[in-house]
Amino acid sequence: MPHSKLIADLEAAFEAHDDSSDNSHDINHARRVMRSALEIAAGEGGGNQRVIIAAAYLHDWINLPKNHPDRARASALSAEAARPILESLGFDEAEREAACHAIVAHSFSAGITPETLEAKALQDADRLEALGAIGLARTFAISGQLGSSLFDGEDPFAVNRPLDDKRYSVDHFEVKLLRLPETMQTSMGRQLADRRADVLRRFLADLAEELGAALPQGARG
């Protein structure tokens, strides 16, 4: 594989840094984001692969829980921490700036617009992780960490109550997850996101059938 030495060095750095306390942001997550970001960038005309690979491994270097008060700053903190690592790996100043911009801009909570293909590909790739079968598994893994309920037994799809995804995991589908495809920065990312969002819609339809509950129109696709 191209850039195998760079990947091996980043893997070693990640393994030395990771405390394995969050399996939603472990090395397997970084690998998947890297592959997706490279696929998206290739579909959009290329991009700097070295920048994409490094940014994918380092984008969650400072990983704060979703309920942490500084959560919105995590990507900026990760970019700061990434700079000396990138320099040690032989990245020149332009590459370091490009990778750090991609890292800062990838975060949903940071609200920063990605300006380069590498940053757009990374943001799209990271958001893909919240969709599809992997996104489904991660949603419930994270809700377990936060102590959220799976759904409201009386009104599972918030037909007669306000959505509350801090309290109910299934509410998160409507609050955020099913809206992600429209936030994608690239055409390739949007195509992949639309397919993965269908996985979540099928899950909600199956859940509604098992519960004997009506599924809101917006969740049906």
Side-chain angles (χ1 to χ4, degrees):
M1 180 178 181
H3 307 294
S4 57
K5 175 64 164 59
L6 173 61
I7 291 171
D9 289 343
L10 286 163
E11 291 248 336
F14 194 107
E15 293 282 14
H17 170 75
D18 185 31
D19 64 5
S20 300
S21 61
D22 182 357
N23 57 18
S24 294
H25 297 90
D26 59 9
I27 196 165
N28 294 300
H29 166 68
R31 291 166 179 161
R32 292 192 302 268
V33 169
M34 177 191 68
R35 289 194 295 267
S36 293
L38 289 172
E39 178 184 2
I40 290 166
E44 297 292 326
N48 184 315
Q49 290 188 344
R50 277 168 51 82
V51 167
I52 291 170
I53 291 167
Y57 275 99
L58 301 172
H59 74 282
D60 285 328
W61 201 253
I62 305 299
N63 179 30
L64 301 177
K66 287 191 178 293
N67 57 356
H68 193 285
D70 289 332
R71 172 72 177 184
R73 296 189 61 241
S75 64
L77 295 172
S78 293
E80 291 174 16
R83 289 183 185 278
I85 299 171
L86 293 166
E87 186 171 8
S88 73
L89 293 171
F91 281 66
D92 62 31
E93 183 177 356
E95 288 178 320
R96 293 198 300 272
E97 290 303 316
C100 287
H101 170 63
I103 293 168
V104 170
H106 93 274
S107 170
F108 190 95
S109 56
I112 296 172
T113 301
E115 302 292 344
T116 64
L117 175 56
E118 294 83 5
K120 291 175 181 179
L122 182 69
Q123 186 185 97
D124 283 2
D126 191 61
R127 292 185 181 188
L128 285 176
E129 286 282 283
L131 298 167
I134 290 169
L136 185 62
R138 292 175 85 227
T139 295
F140 291 111
I142 292 170
S143 73
Q145 293 171 359
L146 298 177
S148 303
S149 299
L150 296 180
F151 51 81
D152 181 347
E154 299 299 320
D155 188 0
F157 303 111
V159 174
N160 298 304
R161 63 173 176 81
L163 289 162
D164 184 356
D165 65 341
K166 290 182 173 57
R167 187 174 181 185
Y168 303 115
S169 301
V170 166
D171 285 20
H172 194 56
F173 288 63
E174 180 63 27
V175 170
K176 179 180 177 181
L177 302 184
L178 293 176
R179 303 175 189 271
L180 287 178
E182 65 194 43
T183 73
M184 292 290 163
Q185 298 289 328
T186 66
S187 296
M188 185 69 175
R190 178 63 184 267
Q191 293 174 28
L192 295 170
D194 282 337
R195 290 204 295 268
R196 295 195 187 190
D198 284 341
V199 175
L200 302 188
R201 293 189 183 97
R202 289 195 296 272
F203 166 77
L204 291 175
D206 289 343
L207 179 62
E209 181 179 359
E210 291 181 15
L211 296 174
L215 189 64
Q217 183 65 38
R220 299 174 192 170

